[in-house]
Every structure is written in C-alpha cells, then in structure tokens.
Amino acid sequence: MPDRRTTSLLLATLAGFALAAGPVAAETTLVIGLQQEPTTLDPTADATAAIDGMLTHNVYESLTIVDASGVVGPALAESWEVSGDGLTYTFRLASGVKYHDGTEFDSADVKFAFDRAMAADSVNPSKGIFKPIASVETPDPMTVVITLSKPDAFFLFNMAQGDAAIVAPESVETNKTDPVGTGAFRFAGWTRGDRLRLEKNPDWRGAADVAIDKVEFRFISDPAAATAALMAEELDAFPGFPAPELLPQFQADPRFRVNIGSTEGEVILAMNNSKPPFDDIRVRQAISHALNRGEIIDGAMYGQAVPIGSFYPPHGPAYEDLTGLYPHDVEKAKALLAEAGVAGATMTIRTPPFPYAMRSAEIIQAQLSAAGIDAKVENVEWGFWLDEIYKKLNYDMTIIAHTSPNDMSNFSRGPGYYYGYDDAAFNELWTKISEEADPATRITLLKQGQRYLAENAVHGFLFQLPLLGVFKQGVTGFPASQAVLFTPLAGVRKE
C-alpha cells in the first residue's frame, strides 16, 4: 500500500498530465422536434417534406443550394457558366468530395443521379423539373455539362432541391432506410415512430465550421406532447411548432425564443378536378364562396396566418391579392350548387394527420354544411394519404400545405397528378412563365397565372402556412422564414 507521500506525488503527476493534455471538449448534441415522420429517407423517391427538412443539404447535397432569402449558391458545384442562349450549363464540381461510405464523388455520379430521375420508370416526386434537360455530359471527372431543350428560369433553383440530390449507384438502392450522401452530417440511425439520428461528418469540406456533433430528430405529432417536451427542455428546437395557440406561454418564458415567419406553403382545400361534381366549375365556385378564410385562420391557426386567394405566397414579388374574388357568400354558394344540380350532395374531406389540416377541416365542414353540402371528415394516416390520395386520386377533397417553392407548376402536371387538373390554356401559360428570362415579364405572367387559377376556382385557397418556431435561448442559425423545404444545420450553433 503506497504511503501518503507516494500518493500525493501520484496525484500531482496525474493532475499535471490532465493539464498538459487539455480539457476534453464535450460533444454538442442538438435535439429537434418534428411534427411529421416520413415513410422513407430518399427525397428523390418520396414527396414527404420531412425528408427534405431532415436530410437535404445535411446528409444529401445537390449541385446548388438556396439560402433563406431564395438566393442560389454553390454546393457540389463550386461554380458554373451559362451559355448566351441560356441552354447550356457547365458545372465545375468540388474536388476531394467523398460519400459517407468512402466512395469518391465525381461527374459520373451527377449523370447517374440525373439519368435516374429522368428515366421513364422514375418515381421522382418532382420529375417535371428535369423535363427541360436534353442531355447530361461528363467531359472529365470534375465537369458536368447540362444542355436544356428550352430555357428554364427556375433551373438553378430547382437543382438545389432534394429531388435533385446527387446519389451514388453504390448506395442508391438502400437510401430509403440507410441514406448515404456527401453532406455535413451522416446517418446514424432511425427508430421508427420515435427518432432519427445524424452525426457530424468529419470529412466534409466545411467540417471545421460545423459546431454541432450530433443531431437527433424526435417525431412528435401531438401539440400537447410537443409543448411538454419543450417545457421539460428535452428539445432544443421545434422549428415547425404545431400549436399556435400555445405560443404565448413560450413568449412569456425567458428560457425560449419564439419565431413567427413565413413559408412557401400554400394551404389549400384541394378538390379532385377529375371526378364529378368537381369537374363542374360551378361546384368549385360554390365551395369557394362557402369558405370563410377569417374563421378558418382564427379557429385553426389562432390568427397566425395570412389568407390567400390563389396559389402564390403573399411575400413573393409577383403576389396579387385575389382574396376578394370569391367573398364569403352562403346564398351565392347555395344558388350555384342548385344550378349545378348537386344541392344537398354528400362530399368527403380526407385529412392528413396535421393539426392545421384537421382543425381547418372541422371548420370547413360546418361552412359547407351551411351552404347545403353534407360534408364528412375522414382523418387518415400520412402513409394512407400518400398512397390513396396523392398516388391514386381516391378522394373528393383534402387539405394540405404545398411547401415547395415555385410550385405553381403543379397545375401543369396533367390529370395524373392528384389535382386531376388538365387545362391546355394554363399549360401554355406555365410554359411561358418557366421560359421567361426577364424577371419583370415573368412577374407579370405569374400574376396572370394566379388570376387564372383563382377565376377557375381550381381549389379552395385558404392561407399561407406560417413558420412558427420555438427555440431554447442560445440556439441560433435556423431561418426566420423559409424559401425552401430544407434546413441546413451546418451553420446552427448551440451555446
């Protein structure tokens, strides 16, 4: 047994070693609450917004990236040149990039990803953004030349989306459950129904500036449970907080910071234009007259939303206020329904499991009832919604937020898209919009598009989904408003 002197000498030596080695930095873990859990982890194969919110520009990367203000910047492409006619884009790729499994990234991966997205059997949810591409060439490992068949004003913006993520042939088949990308974070695990984990990628080209070591997304759909988790400080952030009525208690609590911003999400009462009676404009107009947006926003969003009269965000440069085109008029709605021969008809609203949608459905049900429509509300799970409504068009009406930017193009996707809408005049107008290089002219055309959709009452246009966020004090780097679906975490800090 050592004597006291020997013990003291040993302790002093150990203390000196600890000082020499320096303090061990604790890992920084960021815990984020999410309302929606996706059914798959591949943004090139599924339209669920939560995939982009978690993984795009975190695990996966694209050629370009878009910041919170909508400005396009470099990502896997360090730079690019555009030909004078706007048809040829030459991308110079970042060098030394590796996928999380150690595979080298080069131009062949870009060609593979784009060929896959454009293939006849592609299941890419935004396949239309690749339609203008005539060819993808790879003159060398660090250069990609993309030639378009026609000008596309949104091309560089679209190439930043999760749908255009660059995936590798070596790992693409397992990305749905084990995603492999080139981003700042790599996949660390997914416990279905509970949480998904990421960890910092030390080999990422900007890793030195990434302050977060681990990220944990927890799936909490119930507003009360989300509030309890925040109040117990189990979460650092809930960037899409689902309970606007509970924001005041966080605003009054010095532990938290509350953000109220905007998104690209138009919330609509979608009507299946491919089936009776919604193929009759009089019925769609009647439903639009039956809607009272003020009541819906007050009841479903506790006043925290801006009404819309067409399919375009109020904060956008081309916005035209068309909320007065179909004023709330129950008698007018009744008259149109009677004229169309559907007075007293039964219609079903199939609603996905999001508070804004379920609350809106209850209010709309009463408003349609007042106009003489026997409206039934059926709440369905997200997987069911994707399969039956989005893919099979098995519905009368539904309520959903379309959160992708520049998505007026949805109305040109033909009768196979879940709107069931096919209009040659609008298709021609959208072609003009997408090919117009002059911003001022494009704004004029976008206003025409808004008015056309509103006059034809394609859907019931309700409100713009706000970006409601609750954050612990000291958590910074999340956008105040969102011009895109993804939220890069490389710039997030946690004190």
Side-chain angles (χ1 to χ4, degrees):
M1 181 174 179
D3 60 23
R4 184 179 300 172
R5 178 181 166 186
T6 305
T7 303
S8 298
L9 179 61
L10 178 61
L11 291 173
T13 302
L14 291 172
F17 175 79
L19 288 172
V24 178
E27 286 188 330
T28 301
T29 299
L30 182 72
V31 185
I32 302 172
L34 282 186
Q35 183 184 346
Q36 181 185 42
E37 178 180 17
T39 55
T40 176
L41 303 181
D42 183 357
T44 70
D46 190 285
T48 306
I51 308 173
D52 285 295
M54 293 189 299
L55 304 181
T56 296
H57 290 289
N58 288 318
V59 171
Y60 301 104
E61 292 184 283
S62 304
L63 289 178
T64 60
I65 191 170
V66 175
D67 67 17
S69 63
V71 175
V72 178
L76 285 175
E78 288 186 333
S79 62
W80 53 85
E81 298 170 0
V82 185
S83 62
D85 60 5
L87 294 178
T88 303
Y89 291 74
T90 302
F91 295 94
R92 309 296 179 188
L93 304 181
S95 60
V97 175
K98 291 185 177 182
Y99 287 90
H100 300 146
D101 61 1
T103 307
E104 300 281 347
F105 160 78
D106 60 20
S107 59
D109 294 312
V110 178
K111 181 171 175 55
F112 166 77
F114 279 50
D115 285 348
R116 174 175 173 261
M118 295 185 294
D121 61 351
S122 169
V123 294
N124 192 293
S126 295
K127 191 174 179 179
I129 67 174
F130 302 95
K131 191 174 181 180
I133 297 177
S135 66
V136 180
E137 299 173 356
T138 56
D140 63 63
M142 292 293 102
T143 305
V144 176
V145 179
I146 299 179
T147 303
L148 307 184
S149 59
K150 59 181 181 179
D152 182 359
F154 305 109
F155 180 68
L156 288 173
F157 191 104
N158 289 338
M159 292 305 100
Q161 309 310 313
D163 311 277
I166 307 303
V167 293
E170 295 87 351
S171 50
V172 69
E173 293 303 323
T174 56
N175 276 342
K176 290 183 178 181
T177 55
D178 186 14
V180 174
T182 59
F185 295 89
R186 58 195 181 196
F187 177 69
W190 181 19
T191 304
R192 290 181 183 265
D194 184 27
R195 67 193 67 193
L196 182 142
R197 300 182 304 281
L198 306 178
E199 60 186 19
K200 181 179 175 178
N201 174 19
D203 299 322
W204 190 58
R205 57 198 178 280
D209 296 323
V210 178
I212 302 299
D213 297 300
K214 294 183 177 181
V215 180
E216 185 172 281
F217 295 98
R218 294 188 186 173
F219 307 118
I220 309 173
S221 60
D222 179 64
T227 300
L230 279 164
M231 295 301 291
E233 299 191 49
E234 296 173 2
L235 306 177
D236 296 305
F238 210 121
F241 189 65
E245 72 277 14
L246 299 176
L247 288 180
Q249 77 179 83
F250 292 103
Q251 290 171 320
D253 192 323
R255 295 177 297 165
F256 300 101
R257 171 178 63 86
V258 172
N259 175 76
I260 300 176
S262 61
T263 74
E264 295 293 309
E266 293 85 13
V267 179
I268 60 173
L269 174 67
M271 292 177 261
N272 189 345
N273 282 242
S274 67
K275 62 181 290 188
F278 307 101
D279 55 352
D280 187 330
I281 189 174
R282 295 171 297 181
V283 174
R284 302 195 304 270
Q285 288 175 330
I287 290 172
S288 294
H289 277 300
L291 299 174
N292 184 327
R293 295 185 190 89
E295 284 184 359
I296 296 167
I297 291 171
D298 286 344
M301 300 302 297
Y302 290 78
Q304 297 287 2
V306 177
I308 56 172
S310 189
F311 202 81
Y312 191 85
H315 56 264
Y319 178 68
E320 184 173 359
D321 185 357
L322 297 170
T323 53
L325 194 60
Y326 293 102
H328 178 56
D329 189 333
V330 174
E331 296 307 314
K332 180 68 173 177
K334 288 180 177 179
L336 284 165
L337 291 170
E339 183 181 327
V342 295
T346 298
M347 303 175 184
T348 302
I349 306 172
R350 283 189 151 176
T351 309
F354 310 132
Y356 74 83
M358 293 188 291
R359 292 171 175 176
S360 295
E362 293 176 0
I363 299 165
I364 291 171
Q365 179 184 33
Q367 293 176 354
L368 294 180
S369 177
I373 294 174
D374 181 16
K376 310 292 186 183
V377 174
E378 181 182 346
N379 295 321
V380 301
E381 294 300 319
W382 181 238
F384 181 96
W385 192 96
L386 286 173
D387 187 52
E388 290 294 322
I389 296 164
Y390 187 77
K391 294 179 181 179
K392 298 178 181 177
L393 281 71
N394 183 15
Y395 79 105
D396 293 335
M397 295 180 284
T398 189
I399 298 171
I400 194 69
H402 277 269
T403 50
S404 294
N406 302 320
D407 54 1
M408 193 186 289
S409 60
N410 289 344
F411 295 86
S412 67
R413 295 177 68 167
Y417 188 61
Y418 90 97
Y419 294 171
Y421 179 70
D422 191 22
D423 187 294
F426 182 83
N427 294 344
E428 181 180 351
L429 177 57
W430 181 254
T431 297
K432 291 179 181 178
I433 292 170
S434 62
E435 295 182 6
E436 181 53 59
D438 178 61
T441 304
R442 191 163 62 249
I443 284 175
T444 299
L445 292 171
L446 282 167
K447 289 185 176 183
Q448 292 178 18
Q450 292 171 65
R451 182 164 289 278
Y452 190 91
L453 296 173
E455 287 176 346
N456 283 276
V458 181
H459 299 310
F461 302 106
L462 305 179
F463 57 87
Q464 198 71 15
L465 191 70
L467 183 63
L468 306 178
V470 179
F471 306 89
K472 275 187 185 178
Q473 292 291 355
V475 174
T476 59
F478 283 86
S481 290
Q482 209 156 17
V484 287
L485 287 175
F486 49 82
T487 304
L489 298 173
V492 171
R493 299 288 184 272
K494 175 184 174 183
E495 292 182 2

